[in-house]
């Protein structure tokens, strides 16, 4: 004969905790989490998603605010974009700029961080010198360099003192893009240097000491122990540097205005000229959509390949 069993109080408590929604403390924690996340979500929505939605909408129209023209053209702007050699030339210039900036910036920042990690005398002042450009206004920084790299500026004056005839850095197509890259590297390398320095100081000293006791030289210790451990920071620096390089505008606007010719016309500057000089806001919006897609593809590529070289990724 079956005997009826009465659920114990403990079983009842377990059942209540297992219900969808969880216990009361869990619901309170979830509510607090949503409250704290709400400003960020609202900010991204208001200043990111909604404006981008408007950009897509405008890209489907022929829009000239000066004459009050705004009518639907569908995919015509994108069809024009696909066959526009100026757009693709600007995109190539942008990718070249971003590639040069990323390689030089990351390499120099890592080298400076390794030097500062040695804790030599005067490293505090050295760190301040390289980090100070980060907090200087971009416009002020570029204006100073505009004087230094002018044909009769400080750099050519110093070269002339040792018998070297310097080029016209910003008016020579062979030098203009490289000059802007170098100026931008010195502006932002300090931030990446600090990120790398913080990562280097998390590397366990016991691992490096054990490798030295086994006879490993400093270069081998760095390649086999230090570098793999800081690869997450390398990924972060590469991604933020690439994204920053793809939307560079102020140095181009002040130093070269896209010239000489179109040798420094990056995609963001082309977008600006199309919208505010030619008053073709619909086509400029289509260029903006293209710029977003390229940025998204680059970020996805960098993030997607992380498992092949970033330490602790599985």
């Amino acid at each position: 004969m079956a005997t009826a069993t009465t659920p114990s109080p403990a079983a009842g408590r377990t059942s209540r905790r297992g219900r969808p929604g969880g216990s009361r403390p869990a619901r309170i924690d979830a509510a607090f989490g949503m409250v704290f996340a709400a400003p960020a979500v609202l900010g991204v929505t208001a200043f990111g998603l909604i404006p981008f939605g408007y950009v897509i909408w405008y890209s489907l129209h022929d829009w000239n605010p000066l004459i009050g023209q705004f009518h639907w053209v569908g995919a015509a702007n994108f069809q024009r974009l696909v066959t526009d050699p100026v757009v693709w030339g600007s995109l190539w210039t942008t990718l070249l700029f971003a590639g040069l900036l990323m390689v030089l910036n990351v390499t120099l920042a890592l080298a400076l961080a390794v030097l500062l990690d040695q804790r030599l005398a005067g490293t505090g002042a050295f760190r301040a010198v390289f980090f100070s450009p980060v907090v200087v206004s971009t416009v002020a920084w570029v204006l100073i360099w505009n004087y230094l790299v002018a044909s009769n500026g400080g750099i050519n004056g110093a070269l002339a003192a040792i018998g070297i005839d310097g080029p016209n850095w910003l008016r020579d197509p062979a030098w203009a893009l490289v000059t802007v890259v170098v100026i931008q590297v010195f502006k932002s390398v300090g931030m990446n240097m600090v990120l790398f320095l913080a990562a280097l100081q998390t590397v366990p000293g016991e691992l490096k000491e054990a490798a030295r006791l086994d006879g490993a030289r400093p270069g081998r210790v760095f390649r086999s122990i230090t570098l793999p451990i800081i690869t997450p920071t390398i990924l972060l620096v590469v991604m933020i540097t690439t994204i920053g390089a793809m939307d560079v505008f102020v140095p181009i606007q002040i130093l070269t205005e896209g010239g000489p010719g179109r040798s420094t016309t990056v995609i963001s500057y082309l977008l600006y000229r199309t919208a505010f000089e030619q008053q073709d806001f619909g086509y400029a919006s289509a260029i903006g959509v293209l710029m977003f897609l390229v940025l998204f593809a680059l970020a996805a590529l960098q993030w997607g390949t992380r498992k092949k070289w970033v330490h602790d990724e599985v």
Side-chain angles (χ1 to χ4, degrees):
M1 179 176 176
T3 304
T5 59
T6 302
S8 66
R13 287 195 295 270
T14 302
S15 176
R16 284 194 296 273
R17 290 194 184 99
R19 287 183 304 175
S23 64
R24 185 170 181 271
R27 291 195 297 271
I28 293 174
D29 289 344
F32 271 109
M34 288 187 286
V35 168
F36 286 117
V41 173
L42 291 174
V44 171
T45 302
F47 300 105
L49 298 180
I50 293 177
F52 184 64
Y54 273 108
V55 169
I56 296 175
W57 174 250
Y58 293 148
S59 70
L60 302 174
H61 292 77
D62 181 10
W63 180 23
N64 187 328
L66 288 184
I67 61 176
Q69 178 175 294
F70 187 79
H71 61 265
W72 174 269
V73 295
N77 285 325
F78 293 98
Q79 293 171 352
R80 174 184 167 192
L81 185 149
V82 169
T83 59
D84 190 344
V86 175
V87 170
W88 296 106
S90 299
L91 181 59
W92 165 249
T93 301
T94 306
L95 293 174
L96 180 60
F97 180 91
L100 290 173
L101 181 68
M102 189 267 291
V103 171
L104 292 176
N105 197 317
V106 173
T107 303
L108 181 59
L110 183 57
L112 291 173
V114 170
L115 182 61
L116 289 174
D117 194 45
Q118 305 306 310
R119 296 178 175 84
L120 303 175
T123 54
F126 186 78
R127 184 186 311 178
V129 167
F130 276 90
F131 187 77
S132 57
V134 176
V135 297
V136 173
S137 164
T138 302
V139 174
W141 177 258
V142 171
L143 288 175
I144 292 171
W145 276 94
N146 191 32
Y147 165 73
L148 291 175
V149 299
S151 59
N152 58 347
I155 292 178
N156 279 353
L159 292 175
I162 57 176
I164 299 176
D165 186 16
N168 193 340
W169 300 98
L170 297 176
R171 296 295 175 262
D172 187 341
W175 286 102
L177 187 67
V178 175
T179 302
V180 178
V181 167
V182 171
I183 293 172
Q184 194 68 4
V185 165
F186 283 114
K187 175 71 174 70
S188 58
V189 71
M191 178 60 73
N192 292 340
M193 176 191 71
V194 171
L195 292 174
F196 279 135
L197 182 60
L200 289 172
Q201 292 175 349
T202 64
V203 178
E206 306 83 29
L207 292 179
K208 296 189 287 187
E209 185 61 28
R212 294 190 191 99
L213 291 175
D214 286 340
R217 295 182 178 274
R220 180 61 183 273
V221 173
F222 181 78
R223 292 193 306 271
S224 300
I225 296 177
T226 303
L227 201 58
I229 292 177
I230 68 170
T231 47
T233 303
I234 294 176
L235 174 64
L236 170 66
V237 169
V238 167
M239 291 189 70
I240 62 177
T241 303
T242 303
I243 293 172
M246 286 293 293
D247 63 1
V248 64
F249 176 77
V250 173
I252 301 296
Q253 166 70 7
I254 295 177
L255 294 173
T256 66
E257 296 183 342
R262 293 195 182 96
S263 60
T264 60
T265 301
V266 293
I267 195 78
S268 58
Y269 188 69
L270 178 66
L271 188 156
Y272 161 78
R273 296 192 65 176
T274 303
F276 295 101
E277 294 183 8
Q278 302 173 17
Q279 301 297 316
D280 193 350
F281 283 83
Y283 190 50
S285 298
I287 296 174
V289 173
L290 172 65
M291 184 176 172
F292 168 79
L293 293 175
V294 173
L295 271 171
F296 183 83
L298 288 175
L301 177 64
Q302 292 169 345
W303 184 254
T305 59
R306 74 191 190 282
K307 293 183 180 180
K308 297 182 179 180
W309 61 278
V310 175
H311 185 65
D312 284 342
E313 284 286 349
V314 293

